Amino acid sequence: MGEFDSIRPYADAEIPAVLARLLADDAFLDILTQFRFPRLAGPFGWALKPLIAHRLRSQFRHIDSVRALQESIEPYIDRTVEHATDGVTYSGVETLKAGSPYLFLANHRDIVMDPAFVNYAVYHAGLQTPRIAIGDNLLQKPFVSDLMRLNKSFIVHRSITGRREKLAAYQLLSAYISHSIAQDGESIWIAQAEGRAKDGDDRTDSAILKMFHMSRKDEPFADVIASLKLTPVSISYEYDPCDQAKARELYTRATTGSYTKQPGEDDKSIGLGITGYKGRVHVHFGDPITSGFEDAKQLAALTDAQILTGYRLFPVHYLAYAMWSERDPQLEVPAAESLFGADELAAAKEQWQQRLSRCPSEQQPYLILQYAMPVRNQYRVKAGLPL
């Protein structure tokens, strides 16, 4: 057994067997049937599932590598992007060099679509897609683990509770990330902090940065980070399909002190995040951070500055900020009317009012917070003020 077998993505030679296992998995076929035929899945699922499995076996019978698999599903990703967005734009991707692996450290709003949009950008730029870090809390069903590991995902063991076991898990993760970049020449995507930033406050957790250094403690911290080509990535959604659910969770935490997820809640978030309307989406690739820091705290500040300034603010962000009761008096934030055209602003106001009207009044402050916080953070960075 290889050192990283418990967490690594599947290798090319494993693809046919994993695909065969997936297409024999009743739970996986159930999900496909419900997605493809939502009205017929209940009464006729018993008949539809074998047909879907047969069609997919035929479609994937020649797939024998990760690259071939990604090429076969790329049209479906394109279709999802077209149906669920008003367009995706990118900046900074042109500075990435072919054959040079990067450690992409990104803000985190959506479980699946954040890395998917990064993949989409580098794939269409003719570059190799990164390996994707995913928490084991999202892999409760075997077919989900198989699906993610087929698509270059590797596992972050977050559910471990013992101190010694957790330390060993992060040591292994650190070694795998270094090995992937230095030995395999494969880029990595990982979120800047554990879990989605449900309040819109994108901050880098210095513990993540320290983890990158754990397996190479004998080397200076700055040298290790420089060798990994840590590259901040900003992902901006005009509208978050999960914003209502996030507002409800934030409200519940604020009023009761805790929040307990319901069974299947992560699955619903994943589905809504993929298919729900996002408006426009922008992904910005920053510059690799190779100097200007000595420790994780300083590196976190540099990373945050790039992620927050690279975040594209849409009209809805300014509309929310103007409503926010916690606006920062030190900041000179222009009104949306001075930044956007009349037609664009009118469309944003209509969409924003629809979202507010669907949100219970007591939860609305937490909906506003999600869209206002990126404005506050970006303008504080631009003004040279601490976050």
Side-chain angles (χ1 to χ4, degrees), residues 243-244 247 323 348-365 367-368 371:
D243 55 9
Q244 305 282 337
M323 298 178 66
K349 285 181 177 179
E350 181 180 356
Q351 176 67 221
W352 179 231
Q353 285 305 316
Q354 289 177 10
R355 300 182 102 78
L356 283 170
S357 67
R358 291 198 298 266
C359 187
S361 58
E362 68 275 11
Q363 296 175 18
Q364 286 183 8
L367 182 68
I368 292 168
Y371 290 94

Side-chain angles (χ1 to χ4, degrees), residues 58-126:
S58 176
Q59 184 177 348
F60 293 139
R61 67 183 184 277
H62 298 306
I63 300 296
D64 58 1
S65 70
V66 173
R67 179 72 181 180
L69 180 64
Q70 289 190 329
E71 288 175 350
S72 71
I73 65 175
E74 188 265 340
Y76 298 99
I77 301 297
D78 285 353
R79 203 172 305 144
T80 299
V81 167
E82 290 168 6
H83 286 149
T85 77
D86 290 333
V88 184
T89 54
Y90 298 96
S91 55
V93 69
E94 68 280 355
T95 66
L96 301 177
K97 298 177 181 177
S100 179
Y102 297 88
L103 173 55
F104 296 121
L105 189 69
N107 65 326
H108 192 26
R109 300 300 178 80
D110 186 87
I111 296 167
V112 169
M113 295 311 296
D114 287 353
F117 281 124
V118 171
N119 266 355
Y120 185 82
V122 299
Y123 180 87
H124 285 285

Side-chain angles (χ1 to χ4, degrees), residues 23-340:
L23 296 178
D25 189 300
D26 198 60
F28 175 58
L29 293 173
D30 260 338
I31 295 290
L32 287 181
T33 306
Q34 291 170 28
F35 180 76
R36 183 67 180 85
F37 304 103
R39 294 182 180 178
L40 300 176
F44 300 108
W46 61 272
L48 290 169
K49 282 191 290 185
L51 294 175
I52 290 173
H54 176 75
R55 182 177 178 181
L56 289 175
R57 285 191 192 98
S58 176
Q59 184 177 348
F60 293 139
R61 67 183 184 277
H62 298 306
I63 300 296
D64 58 1
S65 70
V66 173
R67 179 72 181 180
L69 180 64
Q70 289 190 329
E71 288 175 350
S72 71
I73 65 175
E74 188 265 340
Y76 298 99
I77 301 297
D78 285 353
R79 203 172 305 144
T80 299
V81 167
E82 290 168 6
H83 286 149
T85 77
D86 290 333
V88 184
T89 54
Y90 298 96
S91 55
V93 69
E94 68 280 355
T95 66
L96 301 177
K97 298 177 181 177
S100 179
Y102 297 88
L103 173 55
F104 296 121
L105 189 69
N107 65 326
H108 192 26
R109 300 300 178 80
D110 186 87
I111 296 167
V112 169
M113 295 311 296
D114 287 353
F117 281 124
V118 171
N119 266 355
Y120 185 82
V122 299
Y123 180 87
H124 285 285
L127 305 174
Q128 197 169 22
T129 56
R131 291 170 173 172
I132 300 163
I134 183 167
D136 62 353
N137 57 303
L138 301 173
L139 306 178
Q140 296 171 8
K141 297 175 182 175
F143 78 82
V144 177
S145 179
D146 276 346
L147 275 176
M148 299 308 291
R149 294 178 75 182
L150 275 175
N151 195 29
K152 300 183 74 171
S153 292
F154 61 96
I155 299 170
V156 178
H157 288 295
R158 291 177 177 159
S159 56
I160 295 173
T161 55
R163 185 177 180 277
R164 183 176 297 176
E165 291 80 5
K166 187 175 289 189
L167 185 65
Y170 281 111
Q171 184 82 20
L172 181 66
L173 179 62
S174 175
Y176 177 72
I177 289 172
S178 279
H179 185 274
S180 179
I181 290 174
Q183 305 300 322
D184 296 342
E186 294 271 3
S187 294
I188 294 288
W189 177 94
I190 190 168
Q192 68 181 149
E194 183 177 322
R196 294 170 292 165
K198 298 182 180 74
D199 58 0
D201 193 7
D202 299 310
R203 305 287 184 96
T204 303
D205 184 353
S206 59
I208 298 271
L209 304 178
K210 291 176 182 176
M211 179 271 293
F212 297 145
H213 184 232
M214 283 180 67
S215 62
R216 297 167 61 181
K217 285 274 191 177
D218 55 330
E219 302 174 54
F221 177 78
D223 291 352
V224 171
I225 299 300
S227 74
L228 296 174
K229 291 187 180 175
L230 189 153
T231 304
V233 179
S234 311
I235 305 172
S236 319
Y237 298 91
E238 186 170 16
Y239 302 106
D240 184 342
C242 299
D243 55 9
Q244 305 282 337
K246 291 177 181 178
R248 182 174 64 252
E249 178 177 338
L250 292 169
Y251 169 77
T252 303
R253 287 186 184 279
T255 53
T256 69
S258 64
Y259 179 81
T260 303
K261 287 184 180 180
Q262 299 300 310
E265 188 168 335
D266 280 335
D267 294 340
K268 289 180 180 178
S269 293
I270 289 172
L272 185 57
I274 294 171
T275 61
Y277 176 67
K278 302 166 190 65
R280 291 168 289 182
V281 178
H282 185 76
V283 183
H284 174 73
F285 294 85
D287 299 320
I289 300 176
T290 57
S291 62
F293 62 93
E294 294 181 1
D295 56 31
K297 185 177 180 180
Q298 292 174 346
L299 177 58
L302 291 175
T303 304
D304 287 346
Q306 283 210 41
I307 288 177
L308 296 173
T309 54
Y311 191 98
R312 176 160 295 181
L313 298 173
F314 294 102
V316 65
H317 295 106
Y318 289 92
L319 295 174
Y321 188 80
M323 298 178 66
W324 194 26
S325 61
E326 298 179 40
R327 290 191 304 276
D328 194 329
Q330 299 182 77
L331 301 180
E332 295 182 4
V333 177
E337 288 75 9
S338 68
L339 298 171
F340 304 99

